[in-house]
Amino acid sequence: MPLGDHLRELRKRLVLAFIGILLGAIGGWFLYDVIYGLLQQPVEELRARGVEATLNFDSVASSFDIKLRVAGFLGLIVSCPWWIYHLWAFLAPGLKHNERRWTLAVIGAGVPLFAGGVYMAWLALPNTYILLTQFVPEGETSSLFIGVTDYLKFVMQFLLIFGFAFLLPLILVVLNFLGVVKGITWLKGWRWAVIVIFVLSALATPTADVVTFILMALPIVVLYFAAVGICLLNDRRRARKSAKEEAELDDALADGASSSADAER
């Protein structure tokens, strides 16, 4: 496909993905009160510890801005099947028909992967936020005024980072199916991959409880090796197919040579 066609296809897929996110954001607009109540739970836990924590709308337009942000965040979450599908649809033209079936199955796993990453981050969020604010003295004389814009930006980015992190194994598989990287390459780099996963998990969940960040890292490590296994199986399948095609070609050439020899005689 020419470069211009690729760019037009990319634009088409981005527009369709954006429309899906926008429709989800419209639903999020009407669910704002419910979602906002859920997102401020870490602040409620701070209050339970005796810290007078308060979320502050520090400008005239901040309440409207926050409602837009929360609606967009929910739109991105609920529309993940839609934009993951269009990611696959953009990549699919470069694959053969049978490979597209495999890729569709793998991309279909992207929805629970993304949702699982968001859920794992949600479980770790309260401990993370409590740790970051643990130096505020407890008692009636202590107050913590939190800008609602900065707070919700932190919470939403935290959840989305882990959602996209859980999609990384899927990206490894897609790159392998596209023929960009072989499975053995991912396997050789497993030590670095594990180190990077644990370091990023420790940074993203800076909690004194070591068990928390380990529980965050282990699912990603398991998904990494599962992705490597799928890549290796795909490489083996391709190698068998290539060997079979070469054998058939050799047989055809041998038959052709034999026929030519018989004709000469």
Side-chain angles (χ1 to χ4, degrees):
M1 184 182 295
L3 178 60
D5 291 340
H6 272 294
L7 294 177
R8 282 188 288 271
E9 178 70 12
L10 177 60
R11 181 182 62 185
K12 172 187 173 183
R13 296 302 173 185
L14 288 176
V15 169
L16 291 173
F18 176 77
I19 291 174
I21 295 173
L22 181 61
L23 292 176
I26 293 173
W29 179 272
F30 295 102
L31 295 174
Y32 168 73
D33 292 335
V34 176
I35 303 302
Y36 179 79
L38 291 174
L39 292 177
Q40 66 172 339
Q41 281 187 1
V43 178
E44 298 294 337
E45 295 198 18
L46 280 177
R47 291 173 183 164
R49 291 177 59 243
V51 177
E52 190 62 31
T54 306
L55 290 176
N56 293 285
F57 293 85
D58 50 7
S59 68
V60 175
S62 61
S63 59
F64 178 72
D65 176 62
I66 290 303
K67 192 167 185 177
L68 283 178
R69 288 173 182 263
V70 172
F73 169 74
L74 186 62
L76 186 63
I77 296 293
V78 300
S79 66
C80 68
W82 178 254
W83 52 259
I84 288 176
Y85 163 75
H86 282 288
L87 172 64
W88 167 80
F90 174 69
L91 297 174
L95 300 176
K96 298 178 182 179
H97 180 68
N98 60 334
E99 290 174 333
R100 269 183 274 179
R101 291 200 303 267
W102 276 89
T103 305
L104 181 59
V106 175
I107 294 296
V111 175
L113 285 175
F114 181 78
V118 171
Y119 180 70
M120 290 291 292
W122 177 254
L123 294 179
L125 179 61
N127 287 337
T128 300
Y129 202 77
I130 288 173
L131 174 71
L132 295 175
T133 56
Q134 68 178 342
F135 301 105
V136 178
E138 299 181 10
E140 297 181 357
T141 60
S142 301
S143 298
L144 179 62
F145 296 96
I146 308 169
V148 66
T149 301
D150 292 335
Y151 169 76
L152 288 180
K153 181 180 178 181
F154 167 79
V155 171
M156 290 186 290
Q157 286 182 347
F158 185 82
L159 297 176
L160 290 177
I161 283 173
F162 273 88
F164 287 115
F166 272 53
L167 286 177
L168 289 178
L170 180 63
I171 295 174
L172 303 186
V173 174
V174 170
L175 290 175
N176 176 260
F177 273 73
L178 288 172
V180 178
V181 183
K182 291 186 177 296
I184 191 64
T185 303
W186 299 130
L187 183 61
K188 288 180 179 178
W190 73 268
R191 294 178 180 84
W192 283 107
V194 170
I195 291 173
V196 169
I197 290 170
F198 272 88
V199 169
L200 292 180
S201 297
L203 292 175
T205 57
T207 171
D209 183 8
V210 179
V211 176
T212 301
F213 96 84
I214 291 179
L215 290 177
M216 293 293 290
L218 285 180
I220 304 177
V221 172
V222 171
L223 291 172
Y224 175 85
F225 282 105
V228 170
I230 294 174
C231 293
L232 292 173
L233 290 174
N234 183 54
D235 290 340
R236 185 178 299 177
R237 179 186 62 83
R238 282 182 172 173
R240 287 199 302 265
K241 182 179 178 181
S242 178
K244 181 179 179 181
E245 290 176 350
E246 289 180 1
E248 291 176 351
L249 179 60
D250 291 340
D251 291 341
L253 292 175
D255 291 341
S258 177
S259 298
S260 299
D262 292 341
E264 289 177 0
R265 286 197 295 267

